[in-house]
Amino acid sequence: MTQPTPLTDLQALTHNRARADASALFLQEAARDEIEDRVAMVNKSFSSAGIVAAFPEVWQGRSGAAQVVGEAETLPFSQGEHDLLIHSLGLHWANDPVGQLIQCRRALRPDGLLLAVALGGQTLHELRACLAEAEIAETGGLSPRVAPMAEVRDLGALLQRAGLALPVADTVPLRVQYQSMWHLMRDLRAMGENNALSARSRIPPRPRILKRAADIYATTFPGDDDGIIASFELIVLTGWAPDDTQQKPLRPGSAQARLADALRTDETSLPD
């Protein structure tokens, strides 16, 4: 049976990551800072952390004795090795994101914490729309230029599929101003986030398509001082390795008090 083509060309992704400029990794740094803030708010001490990072150097000097590893389809963690696992801004390129979370779940000790950050569906929605409009107008067709990214609801469901308890998914929106679409595209290349889709066209887009897209962008999504706005969305996933000490939802119908009594109000039955 023919295997389906993976979403991400991992060889191209590795090539893109290798060309990245360390001075342009502000999204990786934003994800790291968000994770560090959330770990600091957890009322629990962690003794052994593992970190999966697209750019491990972003975590240098910030992670103590943590085991920091790069992106890989098979993560080099032993079962029950850590009580804290971090997956930092690489999940959106994974061909098997639920598999990545399952591997993290296996590497956690009971009541261990997983924090994962991925780029979400609102990321670069302006760029996607402008490129699509320009290409359809110029050629009558459409090529995948920007990776499709999951919505928060979809990524949250992956936590449950991976067997994690107390799953939570929320978003951190970021709006960045650029001088033009050309500056945005150069920045994406510098941060290693340019096109690595398996289905991408190997032929560079025609100059007139990019010129038209840049004009549409400047008109439709203006920023201050004749610049443009680009949106990025960090989706933060939180889950715990199951443990008997964790809170569990009550059985439906097992409540011992009425909500109306707690609110000190009258309960009115609705008509049939």
Side-chain angles (χ1 to χ4, degrees):
M1 186 174 67
T2 304
Q3 294 294 321
T5 302
L7 176 69
T8 300
D9 179 344
L10 296 179
Q11 185 175 356
L13 178 63
T14 301
H15 178 67
N16 292 346
R17 298 301 205 199
R19 294 190 306 174
D21 181 349
S23 66
L25 300 181
F26 73 92
L27 283 179
Q28 298 288 336
E29 293 166 355
R32 178 201 62 200
D33 294 346
E34 186 69 28
I35 289 170
E36 288 180 338
D37 288 345
R38 294 182 183 231
V39 170
M41 290 189 292
V42 176
N43 187 23
K44 180 181 174 71
S45 297
F46 300 101
S47 60
S48 177
I51 301 173
V52 182
F55 297 92
E57 60 270 24
V58 170
W59 288 87
Q60 287 180 356
R62 307 286 293 261
S63 53
Q67 180 186 4
V68 184
V69 302
E71 294 171 309
E73 289 191 292
T74 302
L75 302 178
F77 298 130
S78 301
Q79 185 167 355
E81 184 176 6
H82 299 293
D83 56 5
L84 173 63
L85 228 302
I86 292 165
H87 205 300
S88 183
L89 212 61
L91 202 61
H92 53 281
W93 284 117
N95 283 318
D96 183 13
V98 70
Q100 291 280 300
L101 295 179
I102 288 172
Q103 291 182 70
C104 292
R105 157 72 184 86
R106 289 184 68 256
L108 284 172
R109 299 168 189 166
D111 202 35
L113 173 63
L114 169 69
L115 276 167
V117 180
L119 291 178
Q122 290 302 304
T123 297
L124 299 177
H125 70 87
E126 305 95 343
L127 179 62
R128 287 199 301 268
C130 295
L131 287 173
E133 183 178 341
E135 188 166 14
I136 290 172
E138 293 287 342
T139 70
L142 189 61
S143 300
R145 304 288 183 191
V146 181
M149 297 171 194
E151 299 297 334
V152 61
R153 182 182 304 174
D154 301 323
L155 287 175
L158 297 186
L159 292 169
Q160 293 179 307
R161 289 181 58 190
L164 289 153
L166 309 174
V168 176
D170 62 280
T171 65
V172 179
L174 301 173
R175 284 167 59 86
V176 183
Q177 178 156 316
Y178 286 93
Q179 186 174 336
S180 68
M181 188 190 82
W182 309 105
H183 291 82
L184 167 60
M185 294 177 71
R186 281 197 290 269
D187 209 18
L188 291 174
R189 177 173 177 170
M191 64 176 77
E193 293 290 346
N194 47 317
N195 197 346
L197 293 171
S198 295
R200 72 191 184 282
S201 173
R202 269 54 173 185
I203 302 173
R206 300 172 190 176
R208 70 173 184 267
I209 294 176
L210 295 179
K211 172 65 168 60
R212 187 166 188 151
D215 291 342
I216 294 170
Y217 205 137
T219 301
T220 310
F221 303 105
D224 299 329
D225 301 324
D226 297 323
I228 62 166
I229 292 295
S231 297
F232 297 93
E233 180 185 41
L234 303 182
I235 296 183
V236 184
L237 306 177
T238 306
W240 295 81
D243 186 71
D244 290 340
T245 63
Q246 293 168 350
Q247 294 181 341
K248 295 177 176 58
L250 295 174
R251 226 175 4 91
S254 62
Q256 301 298 311
R258 299 187 314 144
L259 179 61
D261 293 338
L263 297 176
R264 297 181 181 180
T265 187
D266 294 328
E267 182 177 8
T268 302
S269 299
L270 295 175
D272 293 334

